[in-house]
Amino acid sequence: MTVSEIVLGIILLLASLAIIVVVLLQEGHEKDLGVVTGGADTFLSQNSARSIDSFLARWTKVISLAFFVLVIATNVYMYMTNK
């Protein structure tokens, strides 16, 4: 393994961990899930939860797109160097 392969592998690992963390931080959209997390929400906390969920949803899209592009670029790089 070359240094570039190790670096690309580490970057892919970090990107995959970032996707996992961002997805796990999101709140579920199933009915009655608030009972598990403390269903007594005030109006202000519900609005802040929505903004946090939208922030996390946006970052999920960004990180997953970056991961997808990184995987394609890594495979193209590996193909070109081993040719």
Side-chain angles (χ1 to χ4, degrees):
M1 291 183 91
T2 64
V3 175
S4 61
E5 291 174 350
I6 294 171
V7 169
L8 288 172
I10 290 172
I11 293 171
L12 278 173
L13 180 67
L14 292 175
S16 63
L17 289 175
I19 290 172
I20 291 170
V21 168
V22 171
V23 168
L24 287 176
L25 285 175
Q26 291 181 13
E27 185 174 326
H29 296 289
E30 296 178 14
K31 186 178 179 181
D32 296 330
L33 189 63
V35 175
V36 174
T37 60
D41 291 331
T42 63
F43 178 73
L44 294 175
S45 67
Q46 288 177 352
N47 286 339
S48 68
R50 287 186 189 136
S51 64
I52 291 172
D53 282 341
S54 65
F55 173 78
L56 290 173
R58 187 178 324 117
W59 274 104
T60 302
K61 293 173 189 172
V62 169
I63 294 172
S64 60
L65 180 65
F67 179 77
F68 180 74
V69 169
L70 188 61
V71 167
I72 298 293
T74 301
N75 284 322
V76 168
Y77 175 76
M78 295 297 176
Y79 177 75
M80 295 304 237
T81 58
N82 290 331
K83 195 172 185 184

